[in-house]
PDB file of all heavy atoms in Angstrom:
ATOM      1  N   LEU A  25     159.902  58.227  13.599  1.00 94.00           N
ATOM      2  CA  LEU A  25     161.104  57.643  13.009  1.00 94.00           C
ATOM      3  C   LEU A  25     162.272  58.470  13.516  1.00 94.00           C
ATOM      4  O   LEU A  25     162.207  59.692  13.539  1.00 94.00           O
ATOM      5  CB  LEU A  25     161.011  57.748  11.492  1.00 94.00           C
ATOM      6  CG  LEU A  25     162.240  57.414  10.666  1.00 94.00           C
ATOM      7  CD1 LEU A  25     161.812  56.689   9.421  1.00 94.00           C
ATOM      8  CD2 LEU A  25     163.032  58.647  10.317  1.00 94.00           C
ATOM      9  N   GLN A  26     163.312  57.789  13.975  1.00 92.00           N
ATOM     10  CA  GLN A  26     164.508  58.496  14.428  1.00 92.00           C
ATOM     11  C   GLN A  26     165.719  57.627  14.149  1.00 92.00           C
ATOM     12  O   GLN A  26     165.789  56.494  14.627  1.00 92.00           O
ATOM     13  CB  GLN A  26     164.407  58.807  15.918  1.00 92.00           C
ATOM     14  CG  GLN A  26     165.548  59.628  16.441  1.00 92.00           C
ATOM     15  CD  GLN A  26     165.342  60.016  17.891  1.00 92.00           C
ATOM     16  OE1 GLN A  26     164.226  60.235  18.325  1.00 92.00           O
ATOM     17  NE2 GLN A  26     166.409  60.084  18.629  1.00 92.00           N
ATOM     18  N   ASP A  27     166.656  58.137  13.376  1.00 93.00           N
ATOM     19  CA  ASP A  27     167.893  57.424  13.053  1.00 93.00           C
ATOM     20  C   ASP A  27     169.069  58.206  13.610  1.00 93.00           C
ATOM     21  O   ASP A  27     169.199  59.400  13.357  1.00 93.00           O
ATOM     22  CB  ASP A  27     168.066  57.273  11.539  1.00 93.00           C
ATOM     23  CG  ASP A  27     167.025  56.364  10.917  1.00 93.00           C
ATOM     24  OD1 ASP A  27     166.371  55.614  11.662  1.00 93.00           O
ATOM     25  OD2 ASP A  27     166.852  56.418   9.685  1.00 93.00           O
ATOM     26  N   ASN A  28     169.917  57.538  14.367  1.00 91.00           N
ATOM     27  CA  ASN A  28     171.143  58.125  14.897  1.00 91.00           C
ATOM     28  C   ASN A  28     172.322  57.421  14.254  1.00 91.00           C
ATOM     29  O   ASN A  28     172.425  56.197  14.325  1.00 91.00           O
ATOM     30  CB  ASN A  28     171.225  57.933  16.410  1.00 91.00           C
ATOM     31  CG  ASN A  28     170.271  58.836  17.147  1.00 91.00           C
ATOM     32  OD1 ASN A  28     170.475  60.038  17.193  1.00 91.00           O
ATOM     33  ND2 ASN A  28     169.220  58.260  17.712  1.00 91.00           N
ATOM     34  N   GLU A  29     173.196  58.197  13.632  1.00 92.00           N
ATOM     35  CA  GLU A  29     174.390  57.651  12.989  1.00 92.00           C
ATOM     36  C   GLU A  29     175.598  58.380  13.554  1.00 92.00           C
ATOM     37  O   GLU A  29     175.608  59.607  13.663  1.00 92.00           O
ATOM     38  CB  GLU A  29     174.291  57.883  11.483  1.00 92.00           C
ATOM     39  CG  GLU A  29     175.470  57.401  10.696  1.00 92.00           C
ATOM     40  CD  GLU A  29     175.346  57.804   9.230  1.00 92.00           C
ATOM     41  OE1 GLU A  29     174.245  57.677   8.655  1.00 92.00           O
ATOM     42  OE2 GLU A  29     176.358  58.265   8.676  1.00 92.00           O
ATOM     43  N   TYR A  30     176.627  57.643  13.920  1.00 90.00           N
ATOM     44  CA  TYR A  30     177.845  58.226  14.491  1.00 90.00           C
ATOM     45  C   TYR A  30     179.028  57.859  13.613  1.00 90.00           C
ATOM     46  O   TYR A  30     179.119  56.737  13.114  1.00 90.00           O
ATOM     47  CB  TYR A  30     178.064  57.690  15.901  1.00 90.00           C
ATOM     48  CG  TYR A  30     176.924  57.993  16.834  1.00 90.00           C
ATOM     49  CD1 TYR A  30     175.882  57.084  17.021  1.00 90.00           C
ATOM     50  CD2 TYR A  30     176.857  59.200  17.518  1.00 90.00           C
ATOM     51  CE1 TYR A  30     174.823  57.361  17.861  1.00 90.00           C
ATOM     52  CE2 TYR A  30     175.804  59.498  18.360  1.00 90.00           C
ATOM     53  CZ  TYR A  30     174.793  58.568  18.528  1.00 90.00           C
ATOM     54  OH  TYR A  30     173.737  58.853  19.363  1.00 90.00           O
ATOM     55  N   ARG A  31     179.944  58.827  13.432  1.00 89.00           N
ATOM     56  CA  ARG A  31     181.150  58.536  12.659  1.00 89.00           C
ATOM     57  C   ARG A  31     182.279  59.435  13.138  1.00 89.00           C
ATOM     58  O   ARG A  31     182.058  60.437  13.823  1.00 89.00           O
ATOM     59  CB  ARG A  31     180.910  58.687  11.173  1.00 89.00           C
ATOM     60  CG  ARG A  31     180.477  60.025  10.707  1.00 89.00           C
ATOM     61  CD  ARG A  31     180.134  59.978   9.202  1.00 89.00           C
ATOM     62  NE  ARG A  31     179.387  61.128   8.807  1.00 89.00           N
ATOM     63  CZ  ARG A  31     179.920  62.233   8.319  1.00 89.00           C
ATOM     64  NH1 ARG A  31     181.221  62.336   8.171  1.00 89.00           N
ATOM     65  NH2 ARG A  31     179.172  63.249   7.970  1.00 89.00           N
ATOM     66  N   ALA A  32     183.484  59.058  12.761  1.00 86.00           N
ATOM     67  CA  ALA A  32     184.663  59.816  13.168  1.00 86.00           C
ATOM     68  C   ALA A  32     184.652  61.191  12.527  1.00 86.00           C
ATOM     69  O   ALA A  32     184.185  61.362  11.401  1.00 86.00           O
ATOM     70  CB  ALA A  32     185.928  59.061  12.774  1.00 86.00           C
ATOM     71  N   GLU A  33     185.150  62.181  13.249  1.00 84.00           N
ATOM     72  CA  GLU A  33     185.286  63.547  12.738  1.00 84.00           C
ATOM     73  C   GLU A  33     186.601  63.621  11.966  1.00 84.00           C
ATOM     74  O   GLU A  33     187.658  63.309  12.513  1.00 84.00           O
ATOM     75  CB  GLU A  33     185.297  64.524  13.920  1.00 84.00           C
ATOM     76  CG  GLU A  33     185.523  65.952  13.554  1.00 84.00           C
ATOM     77  CD  GLU A  33     184.345  66.604  12.847  1.00 84.00           C
ATOM     78  OE1 GLU A  33     183.247  66.019  12.800  1.00 84.00           O
ATOM     79  OE2 GLU A  33     184.541  67.685  12.304  1.00 84.00           O
ATOM     80  N   PRO A  34     186.566  64.004  10.684  1.00 85.00           N
ATOM     81  CA  PRO A  34     187.802  64.062   9.896  1.00 85.00           C
ATOM     82  C   PRO A  34     188.869  64.945  10.556  1.00 85.00           C
ATOM     83  O   PRO A  34     188.580  66.050  10.997  1.00 85.00           O
ATOM     84  CB  PRO A  34     187.354  64.658   8.560  1.00 85.00           C
ATOM     85  CG  PRO A  34     185.888  64.371   8.486  1.00 85.00           C
ATOM     86  CD  PRO A  34     185.401  64.403   9.906  1.00 85.00           C
ATOM     87  N   GLY A  35     190.076  64.430  10.647  1.00 84.00           N
ATOM     88  CA  GLY A  35     191.188  65.179  11.219  1.00 84.00           C
ATOM     89  C   GLY A  35     191.215  65.220  12.732  1.00 84.00           C
ATOM     90  O   GLY A  35     192.028  65.921  13.313  1.00 84.00           O
ATOM     91  N   ARG A  36     190.322  64.478  13.396  1.00 83.00           N
ATOM     92  CA  ARG A  36     190.258  64.459  14.862  1.00 83.00           C
ATOM     93  C   ARG A  36     190.431  63.038  15.378  1.00 83.00           C
ATOM     94  O   ARG A  36     190.184  62.071  14.669  1.00 83.00           O
ATOM     95  CB  ARG A  36     188.907  64.995  15.357  1.00 83.00           C
ATOM     96  CG  ARG A  36     188.534  66.340  14.849  1.00 83.00           C
ATOM     97  CD  ARG A  36     189.382  67.396  15.475  1.00 83.00           C
ATOM     98  NE  ARG A  36     188.909  68.706  15.032  1.00 83.00           N
ATOM     99  CZ  ARG A  36     189.343  69.824  15.493  1.00 83.00           C
ATOM    100  NH1 ARG A  36     190.279  69.844  16.401  1.00 83.00           N
ATOM    101  NH2 ARG A  36     188.872  70.962  15.050  1.00 83.00           N
ATOM    102  N   VAL A  37     190.808  62.916  16.619  1.00 83.00           N
ATOM    103  CA  VAL A  37     190.932  61.604  17.250  1.00 83.00           C
ATOM    104  C   VAL A  37     189.534  61.131  17.642  1.00 83.00           C
ATOM    105  O   VAL A  37     188.816  61.835  18.349  1.00 83.00           O
ATOM    106  CB  VAL A  37     191.829  61.682  18.504  1.00 83.00           C
ATOM    107  CG1 VAL A  37     191.886  60.348  19.216  1.00 83.00           C
ATOM    108  CG2 VAL A  37     193.222  62.162  18.123  1.00 83.00           C
ATOM    109  N   ALA A  38     189.159  59.954  17.177  1.00 82.00           N
ATOM    110  CA  ALA A  38     187.835  59.410  17.479  1.00 82.00           C
ATOM    111  C   ALA A  38     187.882  58.622  18.787  1.00 82.00           C
ATOM    112  O   ALA A  38     188.884  57.993  19.107  1.00 82.00           O
ATOM    113  CB  ALA A  38     187.377  58.500  16.351  1.00 82.00           C
ATOM    114  N   PRO A  39     186.789  58.646  19.562  1.00 82.00           N
ATOM    115  CA  PRO A  39     186.762  57.842  20.777  1.00 82.00           C
ATOM    116  C   PRO A  39     186.701  56.359  20.420  1.00 82.00           C
ATOM    117  O   PRO A  39     186.219  55.991  19.352  1.00 82.00           O
ATOM    118  CB  PRO A  39     185.481  58.286  21.478  1.00 82.00           C
ATOM    119  CG  PRO A  39     184.609  58.796  20.387  1.00 82.00           C
ATOM    120  CD  PRO A  39     185.530  59.362  19.350  1.00 82.00           C
ATOM    121  N   VAL A  40     187.195  55.534  21.309  1.00 82.00           N
ATOM    122  CA  VAL A  40     187.139  54.089  21.089  1.00 82.00           C
ATOM    123  C   VAL A  40     186.321  53.504  22.227  1.00 82.00           C
ATOM    124  O   VAL A  40     186.683  53.659  23.382  1.00 82.00           O
ATOM    125  CB  VAL A  40     188.552  53.478  21.068  1.00 82.00           C
ATOM    126  CG1 VAL A  40     188.472  51.981  20.884  1.00 82.00           C
ATOM    127  CG2 VAL A  40     189.392  54.118  19.979  1.00 82.00           C
ATOM    128  N   PRO A  41     185.223  52.867  21.966  1.00 86.00           N
ATOM    129  CA  PRO A  41     184.584  52.740  20.656  1.00 86.00           C
ATOM    130  C   PRO A  41     183.683  53.937  20.371  1.00 86.00           C
ATOM    131  O   PRO A  41     183.307  54.660  21.274  1.00 86.00           O
ATOM    132  CB  PRO A  41     183.745  51.475  20.807  1.00 86.00           C
ATOM    133  CG  PRO A  41     183.326  51.490  22.247  1.00 86.00           C
ATOM    134  CD  PRO A  41     184.505  52.093  22.996  1.00 86.00           C
ATOM    135  N   LEU A  42     183.313  54.104  19.094  1.00 83.00           N
ATOM    136  CA  LEU A  42     182.323  55.099  18.705  1.00 83.00           C
ATOM    137  C   LEU A  42     180.967  54.663  19.248  1.00 83.00           C
ATOM    138  O   LEU A  42     180.702  53.464  19.374  1.00 83.00           O
ATOM    139  CB  LEU A  42     182.223  55.192  17.181  1.00 83.00           C
ATOM    140  CG  LEU A  42     183.179  56.134  16.477  1.00 83.00           C
ATOM    141  CD1 LEU A  42     183.082  55.943  14.978  1.00 83.00           C
ATOM    142  CD2 LEU A  42     182.914  57.575  16.836  1.00 83.00           C
ATOM    143  N   PRO A  43     180.077  55.602  19.561  1.00 83.00           N
ATOM    144  CA  PRO A  43     178.724  55.194  19.941  1.00 83.00           C
ATOM    145  C   PRO A  43     178.093  54.368  18.822  1.00 83.00           C
ATOM    146  O   PRO A  43     178.385  54.566  17.645  1.00 83.00           O
ATOM    147  CB  PRO A  43     177.982  56.518  20.121  1.00 83.00           C
ATOM    148  CG  PRO A  43     179.054  57.514  20.397  1.00 83.00           C
ATOM    149  CD  PRO A  43     180.250  57.040  19.613  1.00 83.00           C
ATOM    150  N   VAL A  44     177.233  53.464  19.195  1.00 85.00           N
ATOM    151  CA  VAL A  44     176.578  52.588  18.227  1.00 85.00           C
ATOM    152  C   VAL A  44     175.343  53.290  17.671  1.00 85.00           C
ATOM    153  O   VAL A  44     174.516  53.795  18.426  1.00 85.00           O
ATOM    154  CB  VAL A  44     176.170  51.255  18.903  1.00 85.00           C
ATOM    155  CG1 VAL A  44     175.426  50.364  17.926  1.00 85.00           C
ATOM    156  CG2 VAL A  44     177.398  50.552  19.453  1.00 85.00           C
ATOM    157  N   GLY A  45     175.238  53.327  16.367  1.00 85.00           N
ATOM    158  CA  GLY A  45     174.068  53.919  15.723  1.00 85.00           C
ATOM    159  C   GLY A  45     172.832  53.071  15.979  1.00 85.00           C
ATOM    160  O   GLY A  45     172.917  51.878  16.272  1.00 85.00           O
ATOM    161  N   ASN A  46     171.675  53.702  15.888  1.00 87.00           N
ATOM    162  CA  ASN A  46     170.436  52.950  16.066  1.00 87.00           C
ATOM    163  C   ASN A  46     169.322  53.566  15.246  1.00 87.00           C
ATOM    164  O   ASN A  46     169.385  54.720  14.856  1.00 87.00           O
ATOM    165  CB  ASN A  46     170.054  52.858  17.552  1.00 87.00           C
ATOM    166  CG  ASN A  46     169.857  54.211  18.175  1.00 87.00           C
ATOM    167  OD1 ASN A  46     169.229  55.079  17.588  1.00 87.00           O
ATOM    168  ND2 ASN A  46     170.402  54.417  19.362  1.00 87.00           N
ATOM    169  N   GLU A  47     168.329  52.754  15.004  1.00 91.00           N
ATOM    170  CA  GLU A  47     167.150  53.191  14.261  1.00 91.00           C
ATOM    171  C   GLU A  47     165.929  52.951  15.124  1.00 91.00           C
ATOM    172  O   GLU A  47     165.810  51.899  15.753  1.00 91.00           O
ATOM    173  CB  GLU A  47     167.032  52.423  12.952  1.00 91.00           C
ATOM    174  CG  GLU A  47     168.188  52.683  12.003  1.00 91.00           C
ATOM    175  CD  GLU A  47     168.108  51.838  10.744  1.00 91.00           C
ATOM    176  OE1 GLU A  47     167.360  50.843  10.725  1.00 91.00           O
ATOM    177  OE2 GLU A  47     168.814  52.172   9.788  1.00 91.00           O
ATOM    178  N   LEU A  48     165.055  53.937  15.153  1.00 90.00           N
ATOM    179  CA  LEU A  48     163.841  53.840  15.948  1.00 90.00           C
ATOM    180  C   LEU A  48     162.635  54.004  15.031  1.00 90.00           C
ATOM    181  O   LEU A  48     162.532  54.981  14.291  1.00 90.00           O
ATOM    182  CB  LEU A  48     163.829  54.940  17.022  1.00 90.00           C
ATOM    183  CG  LEU A  48     162.576  55.053  17.876  1.00 90.00           C
ATOM    184  CD1 LEU A  48     162.463  53.852  18.808  1.00 90.00           C
ATOM    185  CD2 LEU A  48     162.589  56.335  18.677  1.00 90.00           C
ATOM    186  N   ARG A  49     161.758  53.042  15.060  1.00 94.00           N
ATOM    187  CA  ARG A  49     160.458  53.085  14.372  1.00 94.00           C
ATOM    188  C   ARG A  49     159.438  52.721  15.447  1.00 94.00           C
ATOM    189  O   ARG A  49     159.505  51.633  16.006  1.00 94.00           O
ATOM    190  CB  ARG A  49     160.367  52.071  13.230  1.00 94.00           C
ATOM    191  CG  ARG A  49     161.505  52.135  12.226  1.00 94.00           C
ATOM    192  CD  ARG A  49     161.423  53.392  11.361  1.00 94.00           C
ATOM    193  NE  ARG A  49     162.449  53.401  10.328  1.00 94.00           N
ATOM    194  CZ  ARG A  49     163.675  53.860  10.491  1.00 94.00           C
ATOM    195  NH1 ARG A  49     164.057  54.324  11.651  1.00 94.00           N
ATOM    196  NH2 ARG A  49     164.548  53.869   9.498  1.00 94.00           N
ATOM    197  N   ALA A  50     158.540  53.651  15.747  1.00 95.00           N
ATOM    198  CA  ALA A  50     157.675  53.430  16.899  1.00 95.00           C
ATOM    199  C   ALA A  50     156.283  54.006  16.709  1.00 95.00           C
ATOM    200  O   ALA A  50     156.063  54.897  15.893  1.00 95.00           O
ATOM    201  CB  ALA A  50     158.324  54.058  18.139  1.00 95.00           C
ATOM    202  N   LEU A  51     155.378  53.499  17.519  1.00 96.00           N
ATOM    203  CA  LEU A  51     154.019  54.008  17.627  1.00 96.00           C
ATOM    204  C   LEU A  51     153.894  54.644  19.008  1.00 96.00           C
ATOM    205  O   LEU A  51     154.508  54.174  19.968  1.00 96.00           O
ATOM    206  CB  LEU A  51     153.010  52.880  17.481  1.00 96.00           C
ATOM    207  CG  LEU A  51     153.109  52.076  16.181  1.00 96.00           C
ATOM    208  CD1 LEU A  51     152.146  50.895  16.225  1.00 96.00           C
ATOM    209  CD2 LEU A  51     152.810  52.959  14.989  1.00 96.00           C
ATOM    210  N   PHE A  52     153.110  55.718  19.121  1.00 97.00           N
ATOM    211  CA  PHE A  52     152.988  56.366  20.418  1.00 97.00           C
ATOM    212  C   PHE A  52     151.579  56.868  20.663  1.00 97.00           C
ATOM    213  O   PHE A  52     150.784  57.069  19.744  1.00 97.00           O
ATOM    214  CB  PHE A  52     153.993  57.516  20.562  1.00 97.00           C
ATOM    215  CG  PHE A  52     153.691  58.696  19.678  1.00 97.00           C
ATOM    216  CD1 PHE A  52     152.826  59.701  20.091  1.00 97.00           C
ATOM    217  CD2 PHE A  52     154.289  58.819  18.436  1.00 97.00           C
ATOM    218  CE1 PHE A  52     152.550  60.787  19.281  1.00 97.00           C
ATOM    219  CE2 PHE A  52     154.031  59.910  17.624  1.00 97.00           C
ATOM    220  CZ  PHE A  52     153.158  60.894  18.048  1.00 97.00           C
ATOM    221  N   PHE A  53     151.303  57.083  21.945  1.00 98.00           N
ATOM    222  CA  PHE A  53     150.075  57.739  22.392  1.00 98.00           C
ATOM    223  C   PHE A  53     150.499  58.828  23.374  1.00 98.00           C
ATOM    224  O   PHE A  53     151.304  58.586  24.267  1.00 98.00           O
ATOM    225  CB  PHE A  53     149.112  56.770  23.078  1.00 98.00           C
ATOM    226  CG  PHE A  53     147.887  57.460  23.604  1.00 98.00           C
ATOM    227  CD1 PHE A  53     146.874  57.825  22.752  1.00 98.00           C
ATOM    228  CD2 PHE A  53     147.777  57.769  24.951  1.00 98.00           C
ATOM    229  CE1 PHE A  53     145.743  58.496  23.219  1.00 98.00           C
ATOM    230  CE2 PHE A  53     146.661  58.445  25.434  1.00 98.00           C
ATOM    231  CZ  PHE A  53     145.647  58.804  24.573  1.00 98.00           C
ATOM    232  N   ARG A  54     149.959  60.044  23.192  1.00 97.00           N
ATOM    233  CA  ARG A  54     150.347  61.176  24.031  1.00 97.00           C
ATOM    234  C   ARG A  54     149.097  61.853  24.592  1.00 97.00           C
ATOM    235  O   ARG A  54     148.095  62.013  23.886  1.00 97.00           O
ATOM    236  CB  ARG A  54     151.134  62.172  23.187  1.00 97.00           C
ATOM    237  CG  ARG A  54     151.608  63.400  23.920  1.00 97.00           C
ATOM    238  CD  ARG A  54     152.304  64.404  22.996  1.00 97.00           C
ATOM    239  NE  ARG A  54     153.381  63.773  22.242  1.00 97.00           N
ATOM    240  CZ  ARG A  54     153.610  64.002  20.944  1.00 97.00           C
ATOM    241  NH1 ARG A  54     152.842  64.804  20.252  1.00 97.00           N
ATOM    242  NH2 ARG A  54     154.593  63.399  20.331  1.00 97.00           N
ATOM    243  N   TYR A  55     149.191  62.255  25.856  1.00 98.00           N
ATOM    244  CA  TYR A  55     148.122  63.019  26.501  1.00 98.00           C
ATOM    245  C   TYR A  55     148.729  64.316  27.032  1.00 98.00           C
ATOM    246  O   TYR A  55     149.763  64.293  27.709  1.00 98.00           O
ATOM    247  CB  TYR A  55     147.506  62.232  27.656  1.00 98.00           C
ATOM    248  CG  TYR A  55     146.542  63.058  28.485  1.00 98.00           C
ATOM    249  CD1 TYR A  55     145.283  63.379  27.991  1.00 98.00           C
ATOM    250  CD2 TYR A  55     146.907  63.528  29.738  1.00 98.00           C
ATOM    251  CE1 TYR A  55     144.408  64.152  28.734  1.00 98.00           C
ATOM    252  CE2 TYR A  55     146.036  64.296  30.484  1.00 98.00           C
ATOM    253  CZ  TYR A  55     144.792  64.602  29.980  1.00 98.00           C
ATOM    254  OH  TYR A  55     143.917  65.368  30.711  1.00 98.00           O
ATOM    255  N   GLN A  56     148.099  65.436  26.723  1.00 97.00           N
ATOM    256  CA  GLN A  56     148.567  66.724  27.205  1.00 97.00           C
ATOM    257  C   GLN A  56     147.438  67.446  27.934  1.00 97.00           C
ATOM    258  O   GLN A  56     146.286  67.412  27.496  1.00 97.00           O
ATOM    259  CB  GLN A  56     149.025  67.612  26.046  1.00 97.00           C
ATOM    260  CG  GLN A  56     150.264  67.114  25.346  1.00 97.00           C
ATOM    261  CD  GLN A  56     150.599  67.968  24.141  1.00 97.00           C
ATOM    262  OE1 GLN A  56     149.909  67.889  23.140  1.00 97.00           O
ATOM    263  NE2 GLN A  56     151.637  68.770  24.254  1.00 97.00           N
ATOM    264  N   LEU A  57     147.793  68.092  29.023  1.00 97.00           N
ATOM    265  CA  LEU A  57     146.864  68.929  29.778  1.00 97.00           C
ATOM    266  C   LEU A  57     147.535  70.284  29.935  1.00 97.00           C
ATOM    267  O   LEU A  57     148.656  70.373  30.459  1.00 97.00           O
ATOM    268  CB  LEU A  57     146.569  68.320  31.158  1.00 97.00           C
ATOM    269  CG  LEU A  57     145.673  69.152  32.074  1.00 97.00           C
ATOM    270  CD1 LEU A  57     144.279  69.315  31.471  1.00 97.00           C
ATOM    271  CD2 LEU A  57     145.595  68.499  33.447  1.00 97.00           C
ATOM    272  N   LEU A  58     146.876  71.331  29.450  1.00 94.00           N
ATOM    273  CA  LEU A  58     147.468  72.672  29.442  1.00 94.00           C
ATOM    274  C   LEU A  58     146.511  73.683  30.045  1.00 94.00           C
ATOM    275  O   LEU A  58     145.332  73.711  29.699  1.00 94.00           O
ATOM    276  CB  LEU A  58     147.780  73.112  28.006  1.00 94.00           C
ATOM    277  CG  LEU A  58     148.677  72.216  27.177  1.00 94.00           C
ATOM    278  CD1 LEU A  58     148.606  72.613  25.719  1.00 94.00           C
ATOM    279  CD2 LEU A  58     150.093  72.295  27.679  1.00 94.00           C
ATOM    280  N   GLU A  59     147.061  74.513  30.916  1.00 94.00           N
ATOM    281  CA  GLU A  59     146.318  75.658  31.416  1.00 94.00           C
ATOM    282  C   GLU A  59     146.695  76.827  30.512  1.00 94.00           C
ATOM    283  O   GLU A  59     147.872  77.152  30.364  1.00 94.00           O
ATOM    284  CB  GLU A  59     146.715  75.960  32.858  1.00 94.00           C
ATOM    285  CG  GLU A  59     146.002  77.144  33.438  1.00 94.00           C
ATOM    286  CD  GLU A  59     146.459  77.463  34.851  1.00 94.00           C
ATOM    287  OE1 GLU A  59     147.500  76.946  35.289  1.00 94.00           O
ATOM    288  OE2 GLU A  59     145.758  78.240  35.511  1.00 94.00           O
TER     289      GLU A  59
END
């Protein structure tokens, strides 16, 4: 699960447009090989 939320910084100039927030819900498979 990963949620990204973006908002203006109080007292600062915000970029136009702000990045778009997103939500990630995912399934994964991982393989690791270690020496």
Side-chain angles (χ1 to χ4, degrees):
L25 170 142
Q26 185 175 326
D27 293 344
N28 287 289
E29 179 186 317
Y30 301 93
R31 60 186 164 93
E33 176 72 11
R36 306 289 185 173
V37 176
V40 178
L42 273 172
V44 177
N46 59 44
E47 296 176 343
L48 175 70
R49 308 289 185 273
L51 303 174
F52 69 87
F53 177 77
R54 180 184 306 138
Y55 171 74
Q56 293 175 287
L57 176 63
L58 304 166
E59 179 183 14

